[in-house]
Amino acid sequence: QQQVKQSPQSLIVQKGGISIINCAYENTAFDYFPWYQQFPGKGPALLIAIRPDVSEKKEGRFTISFNKSAKQFSLHIMDSQPGDSATYFCAAMVPTGNQFYFGTGTSLTVIP
Amino acid sequence: EPEVTQTPSHQVTQMGQEVILRCVPISNHLYFYWYRQILGQKVEFLVSFYNNEISEKSEIFDDQFSVERPDGSNFTLKIRSTKLEDSAMYFCASSGQADQQYFGPGTRLTVT
């Protein structure tokens, strides 16, 4: 059972452009939605996270948009840079649990 | 900045052998986790550990797996009799609160 669906699988963006990655979930009990960034050979690193009580959270060039009614959330990377090239995973967690349910990942390539 | 460390970085073992993967979580963290990532696939939850006991585990975490916190700093994952399909990256994570999990760099396990 796939708790969190992520798209696209891969994304190529020009330097300076906007990268958008989308996730959808089914379980309305989820109340914490982080995004992780993973470089080859490294562990996932927490990038930004949101809770359902807000519709948007921004940290620098990274923004999460959250649509509770649609059960969707997305990551926007503004002014994308080659150094942003990595795999991005969305995840979700229920308040009574400890485990993250990860999406399938998006491989982002930013072309100079 | 404190970080989660894991050893070894790469472990090669023969099918049927026991392996122990080691992790040193961030020192003041209370929650500990193991995840795995089969090459090119999403990160999957294995187990969470809090207050010296397993708090949650997935279907993957069967009787072949066990976790232990043998002292105040280490957190280990043992696979009793490895199978070919256990080949994956294994990530340890820790958190001070249940949501903000920090991942280690991973141990690549290769079962031959």
Side-chain angles (χ1 to χ4, degrees), chain A residues 1-4 32 34 36 38 41-46 51 89 93-94 96-105, chain B residues 31 33 35 37 40-45 48 55-58 89 91 98-106 108:
Chain A
Q1 181 187 10
Q2 195 170 355
Q3 297 266 8
V4 180
Y32 180 71
Y36 279 82
Q38 185 180 30
K42 303 293 185 182
L46 179 64
R51 293 194 182 274
F89 292 94
M93 176 189 277
V94 297
T96 55
N98 303 128
Q99 66 169 295
F100 281 142
Y101 295 90
F102 280 87
T104 48
Chain B
Y31 299 84
Y33 314 84
Y35 290 81
Q37 185 179 31
Q41 298 186 24
K42 68 177 178 180
V43 178
E44 299 175 291
F45 171 78
S48 61
S55 49
E56 198 169 348
K57 61 182 181 179
S58 71
M89 281 290 285
F91 294 106
D99 52 10
Q100 295 186 25
Q101 297 181 18
Y102 294 87
F103 284 72
R108 178 169 297 284

Side-chain angles (χ1 to χ4, degrees), chain B residues 3-86:
Chain B
E3 57 183 19
V4 176
T5 60
Q6 290 184 242
T7 55
S9 57
H10 190 192
Q11 174 86 49
V12 181
T13 189
Q14 289 190 328
M15 192 168 52
Q17 295 297 303
E18 174 184 285
V19 294
I20 297 176
L21 310 182
R22 303 181 191 281
C23 168
V24 178
I26 295 173
S27 62
N28 61 345
H29 283 182
L30 302 175
Y31 299 84
F32 313 109
Y33 314 84
W34 284 100
Y35 290 81
R36 81 172 186 190
Q37 185 179 31
I38 295 171
L39 186 63
Q41 298 186 24
K42 68 177 178 180
V43 178
E44 299 175 291
F45 171 78
L46 292 178
V47 66
S48 61
F49 192 86
Y50 172 71
N51 200 26
N52 285 318
E53 62 182 20
I54 291 174
S55 49
E56 198 169 348
K57 61 182 181 179
S58 71
E59 296 173 349
I60 303 169
F61 194 87
D62 61 21
D63 292 344
Q64 292 300 310
F65 291 88
S66 62
V67 290
E68 192 176 37
R69 187 155 162 82
D71 53 43
S73 60
N74 291 284
F75 180 51
T76 62
L77 174 69
K78 180 192 290 186
I79 309 175
R80 289 189 182 80
S81 179
T82 51
K83 298 177 281 215
L84 293 176
E85 54 264 39
D86 293 328

Side-chain angles (χ1 to χ4, degrees), chain A:
Chain A
Q1 181 187 10
Q2 195 170 355
Q3 297 266 8
V4 180
K5 295 183 180 180
Q6 183 172 346
S7 63
Q9 187 175 7
S10 63
L11 181 62
I12 299 174
V13 173
Q14 293 275 355
K15 179 183 175 182
I18 302 174
S19 304
I20 301 175
I21 305 170
N22 301 298
C23 282
Y25 63 95
E26 290 297 323
N27 188 348
T28 55
F30 287 145
D31 79 333
Y32 180 71
F33 303 89
W35 283 91
Y36 279 82
Q37 179 188 57
Q38 185 180 30
F39 292 104
K42 303 293 185 182
L46 179 64
L47 193 61
I48 187 173
I50 197 168
R51 293 194 182 274
D53 53 345
V54 296
S55 60
E56 186 175 282
K57 184 175 182 180
K58 184 175 181 179
E59 290 184 2
R61 296 186 293 110
F62 301 93
T63 300
I64 299 180
S65 296
F66 187 83
N67 186 330
K68 188 173 181 178
S69 60
K71 294 185 287 186
Q72 295 175 346
F73 59 109
S74 59
L75 176 70
H76 296 235
I77 305 175
M78 313 300 287
D79 187 26
S80 298
Q81 300 296 314
D84 297 330
S85 298
T87 299
Y88 293 81
F89 292 94
C90 63
M93 176 189 277
V94 297
T96 55
N98 303 128
Q99 66 169 295
F100 281 142
Y101 295 90
F102 280 87
T104 48
T106 296
S107 176
L108 171 66
T109 302
V110 181
I111 301 172

